[in-house]
Amino acid sequence: MNRRRHATAAITMICALTVLASPALTLQAAAAPLPPPPPKKNLEQVRQEIDALYRQAAVATDAYNLAEERTEEQSAEIVRVARMISEGRAKIEALKARAGASARAQYRNGGLPDGAQLVLTDDPQLFLDAAGRLKAGAKATTDLLGEMNRTQAQLDVYAEDAGTNWTKLEAHRIRQAQAKKQINEKIAAAKKLESELAAEERERLRHLEEQERQRAQTTWLDTGVLIGLKADATPAAAKAIAFATAQIGKPYVWGAEGPGSYDCSGLTQSAWGAAGRPIPRTSQEQWRLLPRVAVEDMQPGDLIVYFADASHIGMYVGNGTMVHAPRPGRDVTLAGAGSMEILGVVRPA
């Protein structure tokens, strides 16, 4: 009994001490220092982050433009196949009408075609003539049935093609929507970073961007790359250059191909289109499909492709300079041809 009373008293004492200690513990926890805020990024780090976001937006823009081009091609293919299906159905109806006329003629003759009636004659010459006509009629009927079967088989192929094209169209639309979402997210993130800067910092940021471009351009020129470069443009290249430089001052808008705004590949495609040379829509496709030339053989009108992922493109205009649509928030402008990382050069004509 004494041990039980002692244990009960001890438990009561512990509970009382716990209750008394709780407020102190709460105050102590509340007074604990908060973790230090993450170190503030310096302006150069902000510049690099903004640049990376716009680069990612440029890659997504290429994906969007390619999906849009494929969507348009697929839509045109669906229209073409639908027209062929319509024409095939009309042909089937015409063939059925001809087959029906032949069947009705046989019915009127008691199940025999017109030529067969003449076969049933005692005159040998009439018999031979009628037999020839009967043979020709039978061949015509066989040909008619064969043509109907071939036309129906073509319709089956067209119907299958139409289903395949619809599937591809939907896939391209999905990729287009995904790319659009990614573009908007990256641009919004870059704009948010820039908007958090004070006006003075934004001006300094622009200065840092220009310094980086000049540093890259100077390094490129110091290699002696311009020595021996051809200065004259071909007539077609001169037209393309005239078009591109006439767009200077117009804003960059992703997915735009003029006349009021452009993205980088929209500008180069429109410029060479004005010169009578159709080229692919995206910078990656322009890099993949157009003839490549060495940088040391570059001439005015050639297209310079930038970055390892071919996410940017500009037009060389001579004297170490190119014209391009840089990125959202910037206008079509002249810049040093070596102011960014060069992947290679392509020549539309």
Side-chain angles (χ1 to χ4, degrees):
M1 288 292 293
N2 287 337
R3 281 199 302 272
R4 188 178 299 163
R5 278 199 297 271
H6 289 319
T8 302
I11 291 170
T12 303
M13 180 64 72
I14 290 169
C15 291
L17 289 172
T18 301
V19 171
L20 289 173
S22 294
L25 289 171
T26 303
L27 289 172
Q28 184 179 0
L34 295 172
K40 186 178 178 181
K41 297 172 184 174
N42 62 43
L43 210 52
E44 174 59 19
Q45 290 173 319
V46 172
R47 183 196 68 78
Q48 291 177 3
E49 190 170 347
I50 289 174
D51 186 59
L53 287 166
Y54 279 125
R55 284 273 314 282
Q56 291 164 18
V59 173
T61 297
D62 248 19
Y64 176 89
N65 289 335
L66 184 59
E68 183 179 47
E69 188 175 47
R70 295 289 184 265
T71 297
E72 291 173 358
E73 291 172 357
Q74 217 65 53
S75 297
E77 182 65 13
I78 286 171
V79 170
R80 187 185 71 83
V81 171
R83 187 180 297 115
M84 292 171 73
I85 289 174
S86 177
E87 291 171 356
R89 284 175 177 165
K91 186 176 180 180
I92 285 283
E93 291 304 314
L95 291 171
K96 284 181 178 178
R98 285 169 57 190
S102 177
R104 286 192 296 274
Q106 290 187 36
Y107 177 77
R108 286 195 303 269
N109 294 323
L112 293 174
D114 292 338
Q117 299 294 332
L118 293 175
V119 171
L120 304 176
T121 178
D122 294 331
D123 188 320
Q125 187 59 48
L126 286 176
F127 176 85
L128 291 174
D129 293 345
R133 288 195 296 272
L134 183 60
K135 185 177 179 181
K139 183 178 183 304
T141 300
T142 302
D143 291 346
L144 177 64
L145 291 173
E147 190 173 0
M148 286 180 66
N149 289 334
R150 286 192 299 274
T151 303
Q152 185 58 57
Q154 285 177 339
L155 280 177
D156 293 341
V157 171
Y158 295 156
E160 185 177 347
D161 286 348
T164 301
N165 286 326
W166 272 113
T167 301
K168 289 180 179 178
L169 180 64
E170 287 306 307
H172 292 317
R173 284 175 173 165
I174 290 170
R175 281 196 286 271
Q176 198 174 351
Q178 290 172 338
K180 182 177 181 179
K181 180 174 182 289
Q182 188 176 8
I183 293 164
N184 288 329
E185 286 174 351
K186 299 300 181 183
I187 292 176
K191 286 182 175 178
K192 182 175 183 295
L193 275 175
E194 198 164 352
S195 70
E196 291 170 350
L197 299 174
E200 181 186 345
E201 288 178 313
R202 284 198 294 272
E203 187 57 36
R204 285 175 54 211
L205 179 67
R206 279 181 174 268
H207 185 64
L208 281 174
E209 290 175 351
E210 184 58 33
Q211 277 186 326
E212 177 59 25
R213 286 192 293 268
Q214 288 179 356
R215 183 201 61 75
Q217 175 73 354
T218 300
T219 301
W220 184 66
L221 292 176
D222 286 346
T223 64
V225 67
L226 296 188
I227 298 173
L229 278 186
K230 187 176 178 181
D232 298 329
T234 65
K239 288 180 182 177
I241 292 169
F243 181 95
T245 52
Q247 313 313 309
I248 290 174
K250 293 183 179 180
Y252 176 106
V253 174
W254 67 264
E257 47 195 82
S261 57
Y262 295 89
D263 63 17
C264 66
S265 57
L267 177 65
T268 53
Q269 184 194 45
S270 297
W272 271 103
R277 172 70 164 96
I279 64 174
R281 173 63 181 88
T282 71
S283 60
Q284 292 173 345
E285 289 293 280
Q286 290 171 15
W287 169 244
R288 187 173 71 88
L289 298 174
L290 294 177
R292 298 182 185 181
V293 297
V295 175
E296 55 268 23
D297 296 326
M298 184 169 59
Q299 62 188 41
D302 288 349
L303 304 180
I304 307 177
V305 185
Y306 294 96
F307 307 117
D309 54 10
S311 58
H312 191 69
I313 195 163
M315 179 182 291
Y316 184 63
V317 296
N319 198 30
T321 304
M322 59 97 171
V323 59
H324 71 144
R327 66 164 176 81
R330 302 289 187 265
D331 298 332
V332 175
T333 187
L334 291 172
S339 58
M340 292 174 287
E341 175 196 339
I342 295 176
L343 175 62
V345 179
V346 294
R347 180 170 296 161

